[in-house]
Amino acid sequence: MKGRCEQEASLTGVLLKELRSSRGWSLDSAAAACGVSKAMLGQIERHESSPTVATLWKIVTGFDVPMTALLERRESGTTFGESKAAPRVKLSAPVREQSKPLFSYDPETGLEVFVIELESGQSSMSSAHREGVREHLIVVQGELEVFVSGLWQRIEAGSGLRFDADQPHGYRNMGDGVCVFHDIIHYQYSTALD
């Protein structure tokens, strides 16, 4: 039986292939739209590679879909709501970041919500998302440093930060323990899943 990380990588690969097929895109077309190499997309689809957060963002931006489109399978006709059974997704070994969708993308609100854990000393950088994407971060445990507008800003537990995510940005945990934060992503435009 596959381990949890292998199962999660497989699901992402399956969802990516389904999304690409639904558009009628070749790997070359998808690579051009996303800015991710054809080889990397193929490895993800074949479950040979687990993408980093930065790679996932490039893919969902290129396909114009929310992040949960590559992390969760949503049955047609299901209602949006609390996602208690959603697995934690270990997005890449070197980053040691785990992300769990708390609420899947809701086209009525344009929101999706994640719980993210970042281990001590780890960081994650992200390229600019599509114009109109805004992130709201709320630190639940530990301290988080956020790179936005060219500066690192420190956020303590119980505090938050809101910023336009159409710019390079990143997160790092320079504290001693695990940092846990909620990332509320607001798509202020219509996505392809609406």
Side-chain angles (χ1 to χ4, degrees):
M1 184 170 175
K2 289 182 177 182
R4 173 172 264 185
C5 286
E6 289 175 324
Q7 289 173 340
E8 292 158 354
S10 294
L11 178 60
T12 298
V14 167
L15 294 174
L16 174 57
K17 190 169 187 174
E18 288 176 0
L19 186 57
R20 187 174 60 79
S21 295
S22 73
R23 301 278 173 92
W25 288 4
S26 66
L27 279 172
D28 285 323
S29 300
C34 300
V36 175
S37 73
K38 175 182 173 181
M40 174 56 72
L41 292 173
Q43 289 171 2
I44 294 167
E45 286 189 5
R46 293 188 304 273
H47 325 299
E48 297 170 359
S49 180
S50 211
T52 64
V53 175
T55 299
L56 279 176
W57 268 113
K58 287 180 180 181
I59 295 169
V60 299
T61 299
F63 277 93
D64 190 23
V65 295
M67 179 70 85
T68 50
L70 289 181
L71 299 177
E72 296 182 320
R73 181 177 295 283
R74 196 174 129 239
E75 302 301 324
S76 61
T78 59
T79 58
F80 292 93
E82 192 170 356
S83 182
K84 292 181 180 176
R88 291 187 182 273
V89 179
K90 188 157 181 125
L91 293 169
S92 69
V95 174
R96 291 185 221 154
E97 177 179 341
Q98 292 190 55
S99 179
K100 176 188 177 201
L102 186 59
F103 292 97
S104 298
Y105 175 72
D106 182 342
E108 289 182 26
T109 64
L111 297 173
E112 62 186 352
V113 181
F114 293 88
V115 177
I116 300 175
E117 295 180 9
L118 196 58
E119 291 186 19
S120 178
Q122 300 303 305
S123 64
S124 176
M125 297 301 293
S126 182
S127 57
H129 306 323
R130 183 174 172 191
E131 187 175 348
V133 176
R134 180 172 284 171
E135 292 192 33
H136 308 229
L137 307 177
I138 303 166
V139 179
V140 178
Q141 175 185 317
E143 293 180 356
L144 177 67
E145 291 186 14
V146 181
F147 182 77
V148 64
S149 299
L151 300 170
W152 285 100
Q153 301 179 42
R154 191 172 128 224
I155 309 171
E156 298 178 347
S159 298
L161 178 70
R162 177 179 57 205
F163 63 93
D164 291 328
D166 59 355
Q167 60 183 307
H169 55 281
Y171 319 101
R172 69 183 181 193
N173 176 7
M174 303 308 287
D176 293 330
V178 173
C179 177
V180 180
F181 62 100
H182 293 173
D183 189 357
I184 303 163
I185 302 171
H186 184 202
Y187 300 87
Q188 298 179 32
Y189 61 88
S190 179
T191 71
L193 291 186
D194 289 353

